[in-house]
Amino acid sequence: MTLINLQPLLLKNGHVIDPATGLDSVTDILVKGGRISLIAPDLTPEEGEEVINVGGKYVVPGLIDCHVHLRDFEECQRETIASGTRAAVTGGFTTVICEPNTKPPLDSPERLEALREKVEREALCRVYAKASMTRGREGEVLTDFKALKGHPLVVALSEDGNPIVEEQLMREACRRAAKHQLPLSLHCEDSGFSLARKPKGLGFQPREPFHNEPGFIARDLRLAQEIGGGSTAGVKVHVSHVSLAESIQIIEEAKKDGKGRITCEVTPHHLFLDETSRGPHGLPFTVNPPLRKKEDCTALQRAIKDGTIDAIASDHAPHREEDKRAGAPGLIGLETTLGVVLTGLIHPGLISLKEAVRLMSTNPARIFGLGGGSLAVGGPADITVIDMEREWIVEGKRFQSLARNCPFEGWRLKGQAVLTMVGGRVVMREGVVKGYGL
Ligand code: DOR
Ligand code: ZN
């Protein structure tokens, strides 16, 4: 990243909100050399500084989406690093963490190195990765956690798409993850794959297909607690896309003695859509975990309000139209997540913008040990400017993403990112994306 020649920039009169530093006031931010150099009201612009008036807007730490599928390296190009990160900055994200279920999967330092080279060439925002927990993502042999930990992109391990089915293998994964201090990003969804393999030791009595999420969560949290022995040096586990009220109860209970090592996330689609929701042509949305009952949505929204949920993530999962027609599970969300959160949670008064920033920046940074997630002086100038009042209609044809499988098509939303800055560089302004490569 070349920051030396960046023009200094003064963001004037924005309402700055940062849960990490406690800032919540109208003030100016001076950005120099890619970093936040000063935060104070009524700063007088000096020669050479570009002034951007953000009066009436909210200025928050760059948003972080901790669950994204970027899909590069595939022949059919459902998404690329370039298109996915263009979508990210359009949606107000300055950092994304991508999942390892690419083809081939991110299961070795060599694969991650290939990703890093592409990221350096094409990415518009910061990209980190979760490496696969098992070789080939086949659920049988653990990857080399130590070697993966050494790669600069890797912030966690994930078996996206599947839980680790066999209890003994999961126990060993927890043990090694604790040893190498790599968080485990758990995917407890009940995919067809998980139980069809007739596991030798599941660790709980399975229910009907697609209803085993609570079973896997309870088992994984028990194993994680056993390994941790109650100490903070144990394994950190992050439960991805929680979808059922019962799962929330289990997590809430486990958190009581989890010593901050248990966290979880929810997606906008599990918060606001249910099994009766329909897309174009009256078809139900296919996604895994599936959309649930209205009561589950209500329980997830309540868990957002009471703080049981730590993060909101899109699980941006691009698919081509023909693959969706054939039943491919997954929905995109990088360009709609912020608008849906502002419209569905903040404007109705369920949570404040400060809480939303905690869920979409402060906490993801903390959970995955990233540098950002705050507007600290001296820190990287990753900043999102939000217009809370702007009304807009979701139109897939305008997306930067290559995919169109968005469940919020046609929704009228209130609130949008109007400027995204990564490392002191404005990469999106008023929906216009600028340039490639950091
Ligand atoms: O619906 C889903 N799509 N769930 C997953 O876990 C994977 C994702 C994908 O990669 O398409
Ligand atoms: Zn996913």
Side-chain angles (χ1 to χ4, degrees):
M1 218 188 295
T2 30
L3 301 172
I4 294 93
N5 298 325
L6 279 178
Q7 187 183 7
L9 209 143
L10 187 57
L11 289 178
K12 277 207 80 66
N13 302 320
H15 186 147
V16 181
I17 293 190
D18 179 14
T21 59
L23 251 177
D24 186 350
S25 61
V26 174
T27 186
D28 298 346
I29 300 185
L30 178 63
V31 171
K32 260 188 188 170
R35 299 194 165 263
I36 295 176
S37 128
L38 185 62
I39 303 181
D42 303 321
L43 291 174
T44 310
E46 289 187 5
E47 213 188 306
E49 287 172 8
E50 183 186 349
V51 179
I52 301 183
N53 186 1
V54 287
K57 314 274 193 302
Y58 287 87
V59 180
V60 305
L63 304 179
I64 300 170
D65 192 336
C66 61
H67 191 152
V68 165
H69 298 265
L70 288 182
R71 316 275 199 214
D72 222 311
F73 311 110
E74 295 178 13
E75 273 170 29
C76 68
Q77 297 277 289
R78 291 176 285 175
E79 194 78 286
T80 62
I81 301 299
S83 65
T85 57
R86 286 171 74 88
V89 301
T90 303
F93 293 100
T94 57
T95 298
V96 296
I97 306 181
C98 63
E99 295 290 332
N101 65 335
T102 45
K103 292 176 190 162
L106 302 175
D107 64 353
S108 66
E110 292 71 32
R111 298 286 344 139
L112 282 144
E113 202 41 30
L115 174 67
R116 196 183 63 79
E117 281 167 18
K118 264 188 182 272
V119 165
E120 283 217 335
R121 272 200 311 274
E122 296 179 21
L124 267 178
C125 66
R126 299 183 203 275
V127 176
Y128 293 99
K130 298 175 194 167
S132 174
M133 287 164 76
T134 66
R135 272 196 235 152
R137 224 174 48 83
E138 286 171 351
E140 283 173 5
V141 180
L142 296 179
T143 46
D144 184 343
F145 289 11
K146 185 175 178 207
L148 291 167
K149 164 89 181 182
H151 193 277
L153 249 48
V154 175
V155 293
L157 297 168
S158 150
E159 195 74 349
D160 192 299
N162 307 300
I164 296 268
V165 175
E166 271 153 34
E167 184 176 56
Q168 194 44 40
L169 191 65
M170 188 60 196
R171 182 175 287 114
E172 183 58 16
C174 288
R175 204 186 58 72
R176 292 196 201 169
K179 181 170 174 207
H180 300 294
Q181 284 298 291
L182 264 175
L184 294 180
S185 175
L186 304 176
H187 281 68
C188 295
E189 65 230 58
D190 181 18
S191 65
F193 177 86
S194 14
L195 298 180
R197 292 175 55 229
K198 305 218 182 335
K200 287 196 279 304
L202 183 59
F204 65 93
Q205 197 55 41
R207 302 175 184 176
E208 73 266 36
F210 295 107
H211 285 79
N212 289 297
E213 177 185 287
F216 278 114
I217 292 179
R219 186 206 65 179
D220 288 358
L221 296 185
R222 170 173 58 78
L223 294 176
Q225 302 277 57
E226 275 172 30
I227 298 299
S231 92
T232 45
V235 57
K236 269 171 113 183
V237 284
H238 176 73
V239 186
S240 306
H241 45 42
V242 182
S243 69
L244 289 164
E246 194 186 337
S247 307
I248 289 292
Q249 272 178 9
I250 294 167
I251 292 167
E252 206 174 353
E253 231 5 77
K255 273 186 160 196
K256 286 184 188 155
D257 53 3
K259 303 215 171 20
R261 289 178 293 118
I262 296 168
T263 53
C264 68
E265 92 204 3
V266 70
T267 69
H269 46 273
H270 291 111
L271 277 172
F272 295 109
L273 301 171
D274 63 61
E275 58 186 7
T276 66
S277 307
R278 292 291 177 267
H281 315 298
L283 294 172
F285 295 109
T286 38
V287 62
N288 203 7
L291 299 180
R292 306 294 193 175
K293 299 198 180 313
K294 279 207 168 56
E295 302 88 271
D296 294 301
C297 299
T298 311
L300 295 177
Q301 290 179 21
R302 201 179 312 121
I304 286 269
K305 194 172 161 62
D306 72 21
T308 305
I309 289 172
D310 303 275
I312 296 177
S314 70
D315 194 4
H316 179 85
H319 289 287
R320 295 179 306 177
E321 266 171 56
E322 57 262 49
D323 299 329
K324 282 306 284 180
R325 275 199 297 275
L331 301 166
I332 56 169
L334 278 169
E335 288 164 87
T336 49
T337 293
L338 176 63
V340 170
V341 166
L342 296 173
T343 309
L345 297 176
I346 297 165
H347 285 299
L350 203 79
I351 56 168
S352 63
L353 179 60
K354 186 171 174 184
E355 283 314 310
V357 173
R358 211 190 290 281
L359 291 158
M360 295 177 69
S361 183
T362 329
N363 287 350
R366 174 179 56 83
I367 295 165
F368 294 101
L370 315 178
S374 92
L375 294 175
V377 171
D382 289 5
I383 299 175
T384 303
V385 180
I386 298 170
D387 183 338
M388 288 282 282
E389 302 306 317
R390 181 163 310 172
E391 297 196 18
W392 58 290
I393 291 176
V394 177
E395 283 181 285
K397 64 174 193 285
R398 293 182 190 270
F399 283 165
Q400 297 288 344
S401 169
L402 297 183
R404 297 290 175 264
N405 50 313
C406 168
F408 301 108
E409 176 73 27
W411 280 39
R412 177 179 284 277
L413 300 179
K414 189 172 178 185
Q416 194 172 44
V418 290
L419 185 147
T420 308
M421 183 190 293
V422 180
R425 204 170 139 221
V426 176
V427 287
M428 187 282 288
R429 195 163 173 192
E430 295 291 348
V432 179
V433 175
K434 305 172 173 216
Y436 280 107
L438 288 174

